[in-house]
Amino acid sequence: MKHTRAFQKIYTRLSEITKATCTLTAHNVGYEEMAIVDGRPAQVVKINGSKITLQIFPGTEGIATNSEVIFLGKPPVLKVSEDLTGRFFNAYGEPIDNGPEIEGEEVAIGGPSLNPVRRKQPSELIATGIAGIDLNNTIVTGQKIPFFADPNQPYNEVMAEVALRADANKIILGGMGLSNDDYLFFKNKFTHAGALDKIISFINRTDNPPVERLLVPDMACTAAEYFAYHKHEKVLVLLTDMTLYADALAIVSNKMDQIPSKDSMPGSLYSDLAKIYEKAAQFPDGGSITIIAVTTLNEGDITHAIPDNTGYITEGQLFLRRDTDIGKVIIDPFRSLSRLKQIVQGKKTREDHPQVMNAGVRLYADAMNARTKRENGFDLSEYDERCLKYALDYSRKLLAIDVNIGTDEMLDTAWGLFRKYFKAHEVGIKESLIKKYWSGDLQKEEELDFIESEADFE
Amino acid sequence: MTRGKITAIISNLITIEVDGPVGQNEICYILHDEVRLMSEVIKVRGKSAYAQVFESTRGIRVGDKVEFTGEMLEITLGPGLLSKNYDGLQNNLDDLENIFLQRGIYAPAIDPEKIYEFTPMANKGDLVRGGDWLGVVKENWIEHKIMVPFKVHDLVKLVWIAEKGEYKVKDIIAKVENEDKEVIGISMMQKWPVKVPVTNYKNKPRPFKLLQTGVRAMDTLNPMTEGGTGFIPGPFGAGKTVLQHAISKNADADLIVLTACGERANEVVEIFTEFPELVDLRTGRKLQERTTIVCNTSNMPVAAREASVYVGMTIAEYYRSMGLKVLLLADSTSRWAQALREMSNRMEELPGPDAFPMDLSAIIANFYSRAGYVELFNGKTGSVTFIGTVSPAGGNLKEPVTESTQKVARCFYALAQKRADAKRYPAIEPLDSYSKYLEYEEFSKFADENIEKRWVDTVSKAKDILRKGIETYEQINILGDDAVPIEYHVRLWKSELIDAIILQQDAFDEIDQNTPVERQQYMLKKVLEICDMDFEFEDFEEVSTFFKQLINHFKQMNYTGFHSEEFKKYEEEIGNIIQQTAV
């Protein structure tokens, strides 16, 4: 980093060095101020009298007690302007794509939070074409929702796909501990889609120091606030992988001798994560920030402190699961949840959406019960058999992540499956909707009579 | 006043070298670049005071000056608190103009210039003490009593009281004279330190009156009382917030204080958007008119999160002193405990279980004990009912916040993931949950007189049927449908009937979302009548067909107006179905 200015005082006496921090005596230093230690960016994390503790983002390897320390007199900042668009940056907001430096207003990252009474209720649907999301777990602008996925699942691919299909003005990618291969994947994917003109990336790769990751979400959110609040744009922020971010938090807190709470995570994990996720918002004058993140799990364990705290903060979660029956990755309809879906389902989408969604999942649940029954050696009823067949089709045509159709088409597909495998009274959908959507031409007269005599619609 | 200088900073904990006396929990202000940042002293050692800053500490330097106020964290009480949206320090969020919360900018809680029509209730010459009613003003539709400030502990003589007329909130409306012949002016507003309970009442008997929430799984099976305490633990996605919202919409309370403590901002926005629209079914007025919201969302400064629950409680106690039924809801108390943990951690205190502070259970116990049903000195009664949610890490109830809360709260509403997954809402697990009030003789007597004779016995009978149902379900699962006697299936389905009709409730249906207690009593009796009957079936499939049919008809009853034509029609059909099958 090139921040040295002639008049700045240079300190050269470090009294303490750990793997992530160093301590020295200095005066007139502000809390959270940035500094340069032996050419490496650092930030003030503790002040005790004249003893200043700095976290050194690239790590302390080779730092000596006589290394040069310069304080910059300001917190970490990002220069914001339209120039950010289409560019790739590192965790400090410096270009890594050989392009020119950014000209723009300098904004401190991790700024103040939004006054809750000034927020608007999220209400605009984000269409992704993936039925596991649009049909069963509809996402809206201003929402924050992570993918919960095991490391071997194609979460980055799904996320890139979602981002490109979503109707957003800007897509901001915050990559934390991204492998070089994944970095190149995103870069190629965005370039080939011709979407570079709306993409901004802040990347910390696995070959970069882990502590640097701590800056990435704030950088991404600061850029997002610029476009969403000042330019009234619809911004989609992608954060991958938040588990690695939390790991970096744990490293620093450990080096600062803080007492760990559950799963060796710092006691402030909830607040730390909330500060990032709560940047998602619907602004009053049209702009919005939607955050889609990735939290990798350890063998699907959601009780670990990271997914657990995340679940309490975000508005739902999307689970990826490999369906071995159809050999594809699906969005698990049971464990996935979008808490804001009812704001748009049946209101911004077709009236039958909520009921069709529930019926589809309920019948899939019946199929899973039938499967358990079969595995336990019990006899299957004729209904069970039909459920199982339905489940295969449902999984293939609607849950699989390679589906790409409009919401109306998803609903029609679901009706088609209901019709194929069930009788109208078995799907448990309101009578008025059945009459309208249970396809007129295929309907036999007596079947209709049967429906009307059947009173048990909830 | 004492002054000081900052000597150390770590996150939102600062150390201050002071030049004079300083008190625990005293409020001080950091003077930094033109702004004053509010902080609270949480530890003193020698000349060093440790304070938690209620704002971001970015840029603060060693040497920054600090001014002490000599006061603990106090809030302003008076007409104008209702329908407001406050932050955790009682700043009026609607008055903060900037879209982002700028640190160091505070907005007064009530408008001292606002004019109210004051009607005196006390007379010149009366001996009065803190909490006694001097007069009344109309706030929304509530009779807002203007009281002698709570800080007046001894009996004082009322030497002057304003005549009926219009006054500003800040105007002096009464004067009292104390033993030292000092005359003190009283306005409509007063201040009170939030961490000190308001105790201006004669006594606090055991709660006994049912507090209707309209939620059957609570009112019928595990009732909450006026002045009672309860908590709702549950993993994420189990429906804690939906349940709290349902309670706040339908509870039979005069007013509601909602404390959103470290939770999602969009959930608070939902309340902001819905409550001005939704109508309170009992009064026909907008829900917002009886609601005060204190919110510290999860991204707001963590120290103010702790303050927010106390601010909510103090506002609730203030209205209780006017003889009102107040319901205080806090979502979630775990976030508050986490805020305590963060501070304790920074002060390098030796940690208790899961790194929470050692005195966590004492702090929680203290807080819950501020709720209660009270008899005021003038013979009137008032209550603060408190229901908090708990967000146990990993959904595991064996963690310090849940355990500490369990020791003090009298009602426990366990939300079960299994019920939520099966879409059996509200996901209140009927048997793990409990209400200690069912064991109170006082409650039993109240229920006999106001609901039905031997009501408590009826409720425990319903619980027994549910319990047997669960046991039977397990047996059937192990042995298979065919291998158990048909009575097993009947037993299971009887409990399913109670589950479907009494426990499950549609929070989004206009009628079903709120069931008055007379209707609950009627339905429970009806359902239990069926449970008492003997039936004869050929095989187990006949059992499920029969009960599914019954459940469907009962459900339709739940969806129709009480004793309406349709309601009676379904009731009749149920009668017919039963006649065909009953022995």
Side-chain angles (χ1 to χ4, degrees), chain B residues 533-554:
Chain B
M533 290 179 190
D534 292 320
F535 300 99
E536 216 160 83
F537 297 102
E538 293 287 322
D539 55 29
F540 69 87
E541 279 182 36
E542 219 181 88
V543 181
S544 68
T545 317
F546 169 74
F547 276 97
K548 273 182 187 170
Q549 205 183 357
L550 264 187
I551 287 173
N552 179 47
H553 280 79
F554 267 112

PDB file of all heavy atoms in Angstrom, chain B residues 533-554:
ATOM      1  N   MET B 533     -66.257 -40.974  24.396  1.00  0.00           N
ATOM      2  CA  MET B 533     -67.141 -41.970  23.795  1.00  0.00           C
ATOM      3  C   MET B 533     -66.403 -43.236  23.394  1.00  0.00           C
ATOM      4  O   MET B 533     -65.211 -43.221  23.160  1.00  0.00           O
ATOM      5  CB  MET B 533     -67.788 -41.391  22.533  1.00  0.00           C
ATOM      6  CG  MET B 533     -68.797 -40.313  22.834  1.00  0.00           C
ATOM      7  SD  MET B 533     -69.460 -39.709  21.280  1.00  0.00           S
ATOM      8  CE  MET B 533     -70.338 -38.291  21.877  1.00  0.00           C
ATOM      9  N   ASP B 534     -67.178 -44.317  23.293  1.00  0.00           N
ATOM     10  CA  ASP B 534     -66.616 -45.560  22.764  1.00  0.00           C
ATOM     11  C   ASP B 534     -67.132 -45.759  21.345  1.00  0.00           C
ATOM     12  O   ASP B 534     -68.275 -45.462  21.050  1.00  0.00           O
ATOM     13  CB  ASP B 534     -67.057 -46.744  23.628  1.00  0.00           C
ATOM     14  CG  ASP B 534     -66.413 -46.671  24.994  1.00  0.00           C
ATOM     15  OD1 ASP B 534     -65.213 -46.310  25.050  1.00  0.00           O
ATOM     16  OD2 ASP B 534     -67.105 -46.926  26.001  1.00  0.00           O
ATOM     17  N   PHE B 535     -66.242 -46.237  20.511  1.00  0.00           N
ATOM     18  CA  PHE B 535     -66.635 -46.451  19.119  1.00  0.00           C
ATOM     19  C   PHE B 535     -66.313 -47.888  18.728  1.00  0.00           C
ATOM     20  O   PHE B 535     -65.481 -48.541  19.355  1.00  0.00           O
ATOM     21  CB  PHE B 535     -65.868 -45.512  18.190  1.00  0.00           C
ATOM     22  CG  PHE B 535     -66.097 -44.058  18.500  1.00  0.00           C
ATOM     23  CD1 PHE B 535     -65.170 -43.346  19.236  1.00  0.00           C
ATOM     24  CD2 PHE B 535     -67.239 -43.409  18.041  1.00  0.00           C
ATOM     25  CE1 PHE B 535     -65.370 -42.007  19.514  1.00  0.00           C
ATOM     26  CE2 PHE B 535     -67.441 -42.073  18.320  1.00  0.00           C
ATOM     27  CZ  PHE B 535     -66.508 -41.367  19.061  1.00  0.00           C
ATOM     28  N   GLU B 536     -66.973 -48.345  17.670  1.00  0.00           N
ATOM     29  CA  GLU B 536     -66.658 -49.682  17.180  1.00  0.00           C
ATOM     30  C   GLU B 536     -66.195 -49.598  15.732  1.00  0.00           C
ATOM     31  O   GLU B 536     -66.864 -48.980  14.903  1.00  0.00           O
ATOM     32  CB  GLU B 536     -67.890 -50.571  17.284  1.00  0.00           C
ATOM     33  CG  GLU B 536     -67.522 -51.996  17.641  1.00  0.00           C
ATOM     34  CD  GLU B 536     -68.726 -52.703  18.215  1.00  0.00           C
ATOM     35  OE1 GLU B 536     -69.538 -53.172  17.402  1.00  0.00           O
ATOM     36  OE2 GLU B 536     -68.848 -52.762  19.455  1.00  0.00           O
ATOM     37  N   PHE B 537     -65.034 -50.169  15.454  1.00  0.00           N
ATOM     38  CA  PHE B 537     -64.506 -50.112  14.089  1.00  0.00           C
ATOM     39  C   PHE B 537     -64.118 -51.505  13.616  1.00  0.00           C
ATOM     40  O   PHE B 537     -63.738 -52.354  14.424  1.00  0.00           O
ATOM     41  CB  PHE B 537     -63.273 -49.213  14.028  1.00  0.00           C
ATOM     42  CG  PHE B 537     -63.558 -47.788  14.375  1.00  0.00           C
ATOM     43  CD1 PHE B 537     -63.234 -47.281  15.627  1.00  0.00           C
ATOM     44  CD2 PHE B 537     -64.150 -46.930  13.442  1.00  0.00           C
ATOM     45  CE1 PHE B 537     -63.492 -45.967  15.950  1.00  0.00           C
ATOM     46  CE2 PHE B 537     -64.413 -45.616  13.768  1.00  0.00           C
ATOM     47  CZ  PHE B 537     -64.081 -45.128  15.023  1.00  0.00           C
ATOM     48  N   GLU B 538     -64.185 -51.695  12.296  1.00  0.00           N
ATOM     49  CA  GLU B 538     -63.779 -52.969  11.706  1.00  0.00           C
ATOM     50  C   GLU B 538     -62.263 -53.090  11.667  1.00  0.00           C
ATOM     51  O   GLU B 538     -61.687 -54.083  12.071  1.00  0.00           O
ATOM     52  CB  GLU B 538     -64.313 -53.084  10.269  1.00  0.00           C
ATOM     53  CG  GLU B 538     -65.829 -53.184  10.168  1.00  0.00           C
ATOM     54  CD  GLU B 538     -66.322 -54.549  10.618  1.00  0.00           C
ATOM     55  OE1 GLU B 538     -65.636 -55.537  10.324  1.00  0.00           O
ATOM     56  OE2 GLU B 538     -67.376 -54.626  11.296  1.00  0.00           O
ATOM     57  N   ASP B 539     -61.629 -52.056  11.114  1.00  0.00           N
ATOM     58  CA  ASP B 539     -60.161 -52.109  11.031  1.00  0.00           C
ATOM     59  C   ASP B 539     -59.588 -50.702  11.251  1.00  0.00           C
ATOM     60  O   ASP B 539     -60.317 -49.727  11.391  1.00  0.00           O
ATOM     61  CB  ASP B 539     -59.718 -52.668   9.679  1.00  0.00           C
ATOM     62  CG  ASP B 539     -60.318 -51.893   8.524  1.00  0.00           C
ATOM     63  OD1 ASP B 539     -60.578 -50.673   8.702  1.00  0.00           O
ATOM     64  OD2 ASP B 539     -60.539 -52.489   7.459  1.00  0.00           O
ATOM     65  N   PHE B 540     -58.247 -50.634  11.254  1.00  0.00           N
ATOM     66  CA  PHE B 540     -57.634 -49.360  11.651  1.00  0.00           C
ATOM     67  C   PHE B 540     -57.833 -48.267  10.608  1.00  0.00           C
ATOM     68  O   PHE B 540     -57.826 -47.085  10.917  1.00  0.00           O
ATOM     69  CB  PHE B 540     -56.148 -49.544  11.980  1.00  0.00           C
ATOM     70  CG  PHE B 540     -55.268 -49.867  10.804  1.00  0.00           C
ATOM     71  CD1 PHE B 540     -54.725 -48.833  10.031  1.00  0.00           C
ATOM     72  CD2 PHE B 540     -54.952 -51.180  10.475  1.00  0.00           C
ATOM     73  CE1 PHE B 540     -53.912 -49.119   8.959  1.00  0.00           C
ATOM     74  CE2 PHE B 540     -54.143 -51.466   9.398  1.00  0.00           C
ATOM     75  CZ  PHE B 540     -53.622 -50.443   8.640  1.00  0.00           C
ATOM     76  N   GLU B 541     -58.033 -48.659   9.335  1.00  0.00           N
ATOM     77  CA  GLU B 541     -58.229 -47.622   8.327  1.00  0.00           C
ATOM     78  C   GLU B 541     -59.554 -46.909   8.526  1.00  0.00           C
ATOM     79  O   GLU B 541     -59.687 -45.721   8.260  1.00  0.00           O
ATOM     80  CB  GLU B 541     -58.128 -48.219   6.916  1.00  0.00           C
ATOM     81  CG  GLU B 541     -56.672 -48.374   6.514  1.00  0.00           C
ATOM     82  CD  GLU B 541     -56.485 -48.908   5.109  1.00  0.00           C
ATOM     83  OE1 GLU B 541     -57.293 -48.559   4.240  1.00  0.00           O
ATOM     84  OE2 GLU B 541     -55.527 -49.680   4.907  1.00  0.00           O
ATOM     85  N   GLU B 542     -60.531 -47.657   9.054  1.00  0.00           N
ATOM     86  CA  GLU B 542     -61.823 -47.061   9.346  1.00  0.00           C
ATOM     87  C   GLU B 542     -61.667 -46.000  10.450  1.00  0.00           C
ATOM     88  O   GLU B 542     -62.321 -44.952  10.423  1.00  0.00           O
ATOM     89  CB  GLU B 542     -62.761 -48.156   9.818  1.00  0.00           C
ATOM     90  CG  GLU B 542     -64.170 -48.015   9.297  1.00  0.00           C
ATOM     91  CD  GLU B 542     -65.048 -49.138   9.837  1.00  0.00           C
ATOM     92  OE1 GLU B 542     -65.628 -48.999  10.925  1.00  0.00           O
ATOM     93  OE2 GLU B 542     -65.114 -50.163   9.159  1.00  0.00           O
ATOM     94  N   VAL B 543     -60.778 -46.285  11.387  1.00  0.00           N
ATOM     95  CA  VAL B 543     -60.556 -45.342  12.496  1.00  0.00           C
ATOM     96  C   VAL B 543     -60.078 -44.001  11.941  1.00  0.00           C
ATOM     97  O   VAL B 543     -60.624 -42.942  12.254  1.00  0.00           O
ATOM     98  CB  VAL B 543     -59.496 -45.886  13.483  1.00  0.00           C
ATOM     99  CG1 VAL B 543     -59.304 -44.907  14.630  1.00  0.00           C
ATOM    100  CG2 VAL B 543     -59.900 -47.247  14.003  1.00  0.00           C
ATOM    101  N   SER B 544     -59.053 -44.068  11.074  1.00  0.00           N
ATOM    102  CA  SER B 544     -58.484 -42.804  10.591  1.00  0.00           C
ATOM    103  C   SER B 544     -59.471 -42.075   9.686  1.00  0.00           C
ATOM    104  O   SER B 544     -59.584 -40.856   9.766  1.00  0.00           O
ATOM    105  CB  SER B 544     -57.146 -43.050   9.897  1.00  0.00           C
ATOM    106  OG  SER B 544     -57.343 -43.753   8.706  1.00  0.00           O
ATOM    107  N   THR B 545     -60.218 -42.822   8.890  1.00  0.00           N
ATOM    108  CA  THR B 545     -61.211 -42.167   8.026  1.00  0.00           C
ATOM    109  C   THR B 545     -62.235 -41.428   8.868  1.00  0.00           C
ATOM    110  O   THR B 545     -62.557 -40.266   8.602  1.00  0.00           O
ATOM    111  CB  THR B 545     -61.937 -43.206   7.144  1.00  0.00           C
ATOM    112  OG1 THR B 545     -60.971 -44.119   6.648  1.00  0.00           O
ATOM    113  CG2 THR B 545     -62.682 -42.542   6.015  1.00  0.00           C
ATOM    114  N   PHE B 546     -62.715 -42.098   9.906  1.00  0.00           N
ATOM    115  CA  PHE B 546     -63.721 -41.496  10.772  1.00  0.00           C
ATOM    116  C   PHE B 546     -63.193 -40.212  11.436  1.00  0.00           C
ATOM    117  O   PHE B 546     -63.820 -39.157  11.380  1.00  0.00           O
ATOM    118  CB  PHE B 546     -64.146 -42.516  11.833  1.00  0.00           C
ATOM    119  CG  PHE B 546     -64.986 -41.947  12.942  1.00  0.00           C
ATOM    120  CD1 PHE B 546     -66.321 -41.619  12.723  1.00  0.00           C
ATOM    121  CD2 PHE B 546     -64.448 -41.715  14.201  1.00  0.00           C
ATOM    122  CE1 PHE B 546     -67.098 -41.087  13.743  1.00  0.00           C
ATOM    123  CE2 PHE B 546     -65.213 -41.172  15.211  1.00  0.00           C
ATOM    124  CZ  PHE B 546     -66.547 -40.866  14.991  1.00  0.00           C
ATOM    125  N   PHE B 547     -62.033 -40.321  12.020  1.00  0.00           N
ATOM    126  CA  PHE B 547     -61.513 -39.159  12.741  1.00  0.00           C
ATOM    127  C   PHE B 547     -61.096 -38.023  11.800  1.00  0.00           C
ATOM    128  O   PHE B 547     -61.247 -36.854  12.126  1.00  0.00           O
ATOM    129  CB  PHE B 547     -60.357 -39.560  13.663  1.00  0.00           C
ATOM    130  CG  PHE B 547     -60.825 -40.087  14.989  1.00  0.00           C
ATOM    131  CD1 PHE B 547     -60.927 -41.446  15.212  1.00  0.00           C
ATOM    132  CD2 PHE B 547     -61.198 -39.213  15.995  1.00  0.00           C
ATOM    133  CE1 PHE B 547     -61.367 -41.926  16.436  1.00  0.00           C
ATOM    134  CE2 PHE B 547     -61.650 -39.690  17.220  1.00  0.00           C
ATOM    135  CZ  PHE B 547     -61.732 -41.065  17.445  1.00  0.00           C
ATOM    136  N   LYS B 548     -60.589 -38.392  10.618  1.00  0.00           N
ATOM    137  CA  LYS B 548     -60.227 -37.350   9.651  1.00  0.00           C
ATOM    138  C   LYS B 548     -61.459 -36.541   9.276  1.00  0.00           C
ATOM    139  O   LYS B 548     -61.418 -35.325   9.152  1.00  0.00           O
ATOM    140  CB  LYS B 548     -59.615 -37.963   8.399  1.00  0.00           C
ATOM    141  CG  LYS B 548     -58.110 -38.182   8.507  1.00  0.00           C
ATOM    142  CD  LYS B 548     -57.561 -38.753   7.209  1.00  0.00           C
ATOM    143  CE  LYS B 548     -56.108 -39.140   7.342  1.00  0.00           C
ATOM    144  NZ  LYS B 548     -55.639 -39.898   6.172  1.00  0.00           N
ATOM    145  N   GLN B 549     -62.567 -37.259   9.141  1.00  0.00           N
ATOM    146  CA  GLN B 549     -63.822 -36.603   8.800  1.00  0.00           C
ATOM    147  C   GLN B 549     -64.239 -35.663   9.935  1.00  0.00           C
ATOM    148  O   GLN B 549     -64.613 -34.515   9.705  1.00  0.00           O
ATOM    149  CB  GLN B 549     -64.861 -37.700   8.595  1.00  0.00           C
ATOM    150  CG  GLN B 549     -65.996 -37.318   7.701  1.00  0.00           C
ATOM    151  CD  GLN B 549     -67.012 -38.452   7.622  1.00  0.00           C
ATOM    152  OE1 GLN B 549     -66.811 -39.539   8.198  1.00  0.00           O
ATOM    153  NE2 GLN B 549     -68.098 -38.215   6.934  1.00  0.00           N
ATOM    154  N   LEU B 550     -64.132 -36.179  11.152  1.00  0.00           N
ATOM    155  CA  LEU B 550     -64.476 -35.359  12.322  1.00  0.00           C
ATOM    156  C   LEU B 550     -63.603 -34.102  12.389  1.00  0.00           C
ATOM    157  O   LEU B 550     -64.089 -32.994  12.567  1.00  0.00           O
ATOM    158  CB  LEU B 550     -64.229 -36.171  13.590  1.00  0.00           C
ATOM    159  CG  LEU B 550     -65.402 -36.914  14.222  1.00  0.00           C
ATOM    160  CD1 LEU B 550     -64.948 -37.500  15.545  1.00  0.00           C
ATOM    161  CD2 LEU B 550     -66.577 -35.980  14.443  1.00  0.00           C
ATOM    162  N   ILE B 551     -62.294 -34.339  12.239  1.00  0.00           N
ATOM    163  CA  ILE B 551     -61.344 -33.234  12.338  1.00  0.00           C
ATOM    164  C   ILE B 551     -61.657 -32.171  11.297  1.00  0.00           C
ATOM    165  O   ILE B 551     -61.676 -30.976  11.581  1.00  0.00           O
ATOM    166  CB  ILE B 551     -59.898 -33.746  12.190  1.00  0.00           C
ATOM    167  CG1 ILE B 551     -59.471 -34.493  13.454  1.00  0.00           C
ATOM    168  CG2 ILE B 551     -58.924 -32.588  11.913  1.00  0.00           C
ATOM    169  CD1 ILE B 551     -58.134 -35.186  13.367  1.00  0.00           C
ATOM    170  N   ASN B 552     -61.958 -32.626  10.087  1.00  0.00           N
ATOM    171  CA  ASN B 552     -62.284 -31.680   9.026  1.00  0.00           C
ATOM    172  C   ASN B 552     -63.482 -30.809   9.415  1.00  0.00           C
ATOM    173  O   ASN B 552     -63.450 -29.588   9.269  1.00  0.00           O
ATOM    174  CB  ASN B 552     -62.553 -32.426   7.728  1.00  0.00           C
ATOM    175  CG  ASN B 552     -62.918 -31.472   6.615  1.00  0.00           C
ATOM    176  OD1 ASN B 552     -62.239 -30.469   6.437  1.00  0.00           O
ATOM    177  ND2 ASN B 552     -63.980 -31.759   5.912  1.00  0.00           N
ATOM    178  N   HIS B 553     -64.517 -31.428   9.957  1.00  0.00           N
ATOM    179  CA  HIS B 553     -65.703 -30.651  10.348  1.00  0.00           C
ATOM    180  C   HIS B 553     -65.405 -29.705  11.504  1.00  0.00           C
ATOM    181  O   HIS B 553     -65.846 -28.558  11.508  1.00  0.00           O
ATOM    182  CB  HIS B 553     -66.856 -31.595  10.703  1.00  0.00           C
ATOM    183  CG  HIS B 553     -67.562 -32.131   9.497  1.00  0.00           C
ATOM    184  ND1 HIS B 553     -67.055 -33.158   8.741  1.00  0.00           N
ATOM    185  CD2 HIS B 553     -68.707 -31.750   8.892  1.00  0.00           C
ATOM    186  CE1 HIS B 553     -67.859 -33.399   7.732  1.00  0.00           C
ATOM    187  NE2 HIS B 553     -68.886 -32.554   7.796  1.00  0.00           N
ATOM    188  N   PHE B 554     -64.662 -30.205  12.469  1.00  0.00           N
ATOM    189  CA  PHE B 554     -64.282 -29.335  13.590  1.00  0.00           C
ATOM    190  C   PHE B 554     -63.459 -28.142  13.099  1.00  0.00           C
ATOM    191  O   PHE B 554     -63.618 -27.020  13.562  1.00  0.00           O
ATOM    192  CB  PHE B 554     -63.470 -30.125  14.622  1.00  0.00           C
ATOM    193  CG  PHE B 554     -64.304 -30.711  15.720  1.00  0.00           C
ATOM    194  CD1 PHE B 554     -64.475 -32.080  15.844  1.00  0.00           C
ATOM    195  CD2 PHE B 554     -64.923 -29.874  16.647  1.00  0.00           C
ATOM    196  CE1 PHE B 554     -65.244 -32.618  16.865  1.00  0.00           C
ATOM    197  CE2 PHE B 554     -65.694 -30.409  17.677  1.00  0.00           C
ATOM    198  CZ  PHE B 554     -65.856 -31.787  17.783  1.00  0.00           C
TER     199      PHE B 554
END
